[in-house]
Amino acid sequence: MTGIIDNIRVLLVDVLKESLMDEGVKKFRVAVGYFFMSGLKIILPELEQLVERGGEVNLLMGNYVNRRTFEDLVCAFKDVSMARSRQPSSLITREDREELKRGINLDLSKQILFTPPTAENEDYLTLLKQWIRQNKFRLKIYTRERFHGKAYIFEAADSKSVTRPPVVGIVGSSNLTFSGLRSNTELNAAVYTQDVEALLQWFDKGWDEADD
């Protein structure tokens, strides 16, 4: 895996696809501020291979759903007044957390609603629902405070392999969107050895604190 991934010399989407196609990978963890269906769809064939060989996907996303986008003709309709009025470190109340969850669910529903009804998209959404039912694809929303971290973590099935690290991570600026994976100018870097262990601990802490 290359060191710096900036979508200029190296596209993040290419790195994700190559890593997901590695037959040794059994688990794919993703942490992003937000994601769009188009970002997930662009790596769908590789995700399908991962799931077919018994792997799973854990997606941890933040509560930031107010970004407007033209991707897939979708707009996020969340009111940003609450987010603007808070300090980044402030905890969100239970009532606000429920409101955010409703807003995020509405946003994802709108993305599905406005996805063009092609045969390809129908297959995509059907497959995604199937994975969710089988617990092969799990999505959690971090609502305790603003969540802005981005990480992509690949865990190998064979931790004793001498040719492949058991866990490899990518950290940086890219969200799981079409633009974040291939067209925005981003800055991401690969993480190995002891640093990836710290990255796993960071992800697992956020995952445990997040809502299904």
Side-chain angles (χ1 to χ4, degrees), residues 155-199:
E155 184 176 342
D158 183 7
S159 61
K160 298 180 180 179
S161 172
V162 296
T163 60
R164 179 196 306 108
V167 183
V168 176
I170 299 171
V171 296
S173 61
S174 290
N175 278 302
L176 185 54
T177 66
F178 184 92
S179 299
L181 296 187
R182 67 176 308 155
S183 60
N184 288 346
T185 299
E186 306 278 359
L187 183 59
N188 304 286
V191 178
Y192 302 95
T193 61
Q194 69 271 16
D195 292 327
V196 82
E197 292 300 324
L199 181 59

Side-chain angles (χ1 to χ4, degrees), residues 45-112:
E46 291 74 26
L47 290 176
E48 190 171 4
Q49 290 184 35
L50 171 67
V51 171
E52 285 179 351
R53 62 176 183 262
E56 61 182 272
V57 180
N58 286 354
L59 175 57
L60 174 64
M61 63 177 289
N63 55 53
Y64 187 76
V65 295
N66 62 322
R67 176 184 173 88
R68 292 188 177 274
T69 177
F70 290 105
E71 293 185 312
D72 294 335
L73 305 178
V74 176
C75 289
F77 295 99
K78 182 67 188 172
D79 183 5
V80 299
S81 58
M82 178 182 65
R84 287 176 175 168
S85 67
R86 294 182 177 275
Q87 296 297 321
S89 60
S90 63
L91 293 180
I92 298 174
T93 66
R94 180 182 297 274
E95 292 77 13
D96 289 342
R97 288 170 66 184
E98 292 303 317
E99 181 184 352
L100 281 168
K101 287 167 65 177
R102 287 193 296 270
I104 292 168
N105 288 334
L106 176 62
D107 178 52
L108 296 178
S109 297
K110 287 180 182 294
Q111 292 192 44
I112 294 172

